[in-house]
Structure formats: C-alpha cells, structure tokens
Amino acid sequence: MAKLEMAGAVAKMKTHLEGDSAYYSMPIGDQLVPMNGLIGKTLGLRFQQQINCVHCGRLTKKSFNQGYCYPCFQRLAQCDICIVSPEKCHYAAGTCREPEWGESHCMIDHVVYLANSSGVKVGITRGTQVPTRWIDQGAVSALPIFRVSTRLQSGLVETLYKSHVADKTSWQAMLKGSPDNVDLYARRDALAAECADDIAELQQRFGIQAIQAVTDVPVQHIKYPVSEYPVKVKSFNLDKIPEIEGTLMGIKGQYLIFDTGVINIRKYAGYHIALSSES
C-alpha cells in the first residue's frame, strides 16, 4: 500500500466550509495536506526536534504563544495582552507595540458572536475571520450579534456579555461530542434585553454607528469530519513524547482525534514534524 510521507514546519490548519461541512488542510513546510481524506487511516506524527519562530524564522528551543520565539513574543503587538483581553487595548494611549499592525488588525470591523461549542459562549473575531474562528473553536453553531468598529469595542461588549454567559470553550467537552442543541436566536434576544442599558452606554460613548446589533444574519451550523468521538480525552505532548501514531478518527477545532489520543495542531506551530499515512 502506498504511503504519504512529508516533513517540515507545521502551522495552524487551514479550514473552509462546503455547505455546513468543515474541511481541513494542514500546512507542512511548503505543502498543504488535505486531512479529511485521512480519517479512518493510520497516521503518524514525529517531532524532528527543531522549532522555528513563525514570525522571524529563527531557531528557538521553546515556543511561546503558539509559535513565537521569546524576542518576538516580547516585541510583537500580536503577542500583547490585549490580544487575549481586547478590552485592554491601549492603542489610543499611544503605547501600541506596532501601531501600523494595530491599524490593520485592530482598528477595523469586528464581530461579537454567540457560539455553541461546549455550551453557549460569547466571543469576538475580526469580520474577515468568519467562519474560520468558529471552526477553530469547534462550534457546531454560531450567530453574529454585533458588528463594531474596533477590537477595543468588541472587547467591551464581550465583557458585558460574559457576566451572563461563558466566554471560554471547554476543549475536553468539545472533543467528546456535540453539545446539546441551543436556540441561539432566543439566547441572543434574552441577553440583549439583560445588557440593553450597558450597550446603550457604550453606544453613547462611541456612537451608535460604531456598535450595531446584528439581527438579519442566520445561524451558521457546522458539521465536523469525525467518525467517532473519544470517551476519555487524552492529550498528546510532542515535547515529552515526540512520536505519536494511531487511527485518525476525526478533526474538530484545531484538534486531530486519534484512537490513541488527541493533539492540538495550533499549539505546535513552527515545530518541524514528519507526517506519514496511508495514501
């Protein structure tokens, strides 16, 4: 039987929807491996003990923030605390690490959404990252609820909402199967009523046009290529066990689901990995 073999630095899997079905491709070096067709086949991943920074390319013994060397982690705006906590954006204070990067990535339209991954959560993303962000989180359904003018504003709206609904996904629960069905329209309307006064204050501060409720976009449903979910989630760590192998049972979020465990590919961006599988 022919084998698929290739090696190189990996990156976050690329995704797209066809209808409501998620499709994945894994970058390895300068190649792109279609992953959906490997489900049900034996797949091996071997860490080749080399890590290159995903930004500057330098060799690094340890990866920070999913793929960066330490100098880049300390220097880049995309590694600053405000990326994790957008309500802490300090662009207006003149202290952004990279103002030009902030202008192109943060001072643009963002979407605040509700998603059902391991239960209902509120989240934010750049308008250009819909539906990629939802697939990366393993959401089975998602609904935009606000369109805002900047990342800061999206973070402020999210902060209001997360006092009423979760803002994190339980990755273990997400990987054990599909969550219970939820009426996201009903949750949107209930949360809008609860947060109406606070949203009005933000609109008064930034302008009504800056923070607009979205009511005319339908729920996006997403199906993942999974033949069988694990009963117990065991996570592989390539730094401790550099070689893993098993039958690929599915893909959800940025996780490969084997019959022997799961691995978050996004965590290992910049790692040089040798991939082998039946073709």
Side-chain angles (χ1 to χ4, degrees), residues 14-114:
K14 296 183 179 298
T15 63
H16 72 277
L17 286 179
E18 293 185 13
D20 58 1
S21 296
Y23 284 81
Y24 290 83
S25 298
M26 187 192 298
I28 299 183
D30 58 359
Q31 301 180 78
L32 202 57
V33 183
M35 297 299 294
N36 289 49
L38 299 182
I39 293 171
K41 299 180 179 180
T42 299
L43 179 66
L45 300 176
R46 179 169 54 85
F47 175 35
Q48 298 181 304
Q49 304 301 321
Q50 178 179 335
I51 307 171
N52 289 90
C53 175
V54 296
H55 182 77
C56 72
R58 66 160 55 93
L59 282 170
T60 177
K61 292 183 178 180
K62 184 178 179 181
S63 171
F64 296 85
N65 198 32
Q66 300 177 333
Y68 298 89
C69 64
Y70 189 71
C72 284
F73 173 65
Q74 291 287 83
R75 176 177 60 84
L76 297 176
Q78 58 200 286
C79 295
D80 204 349
I81 185 63
C82 48
I83 298 303
V84 177
S85 302
E87 71 278 8
K88 297 179 181 179
C89 173
H90 47 96
Y91 178 91
T95 54
C96 180
R97 291 181 179 181
E98 298 174 281
E100 290 186 2
W101 189 92
E103 289 166 9
S104 61
H105 288 79
C106 303
M107 310 305 288
I108 60 172
D109 282 1
H110 278 63
V111 170
V112 183
Y113 62 85
L114 295 178

Side-chain angles (χ1 to χ4, degrees), residues 140 184 199 228 236:
V140 299
L184 290 181
I199 291 296
E228 184 178 338
F236 291 121

Side-chain angles (χ1 to χ4, degrees), residues 92 148-150 152-154 156-157 199-211:
V148 303
S149 297
T150 67
L152 169 63
Q153 293 162 8
S154 71
L156 294 173
V157 173
I199 291 296
E201 288 184 13
L202 286 180
Q203 289 175 325
Q204 185 174 12
R205 174 181 171 185
F206 294 105
I208 292 178
Q209 295 300 315
I211 302 174

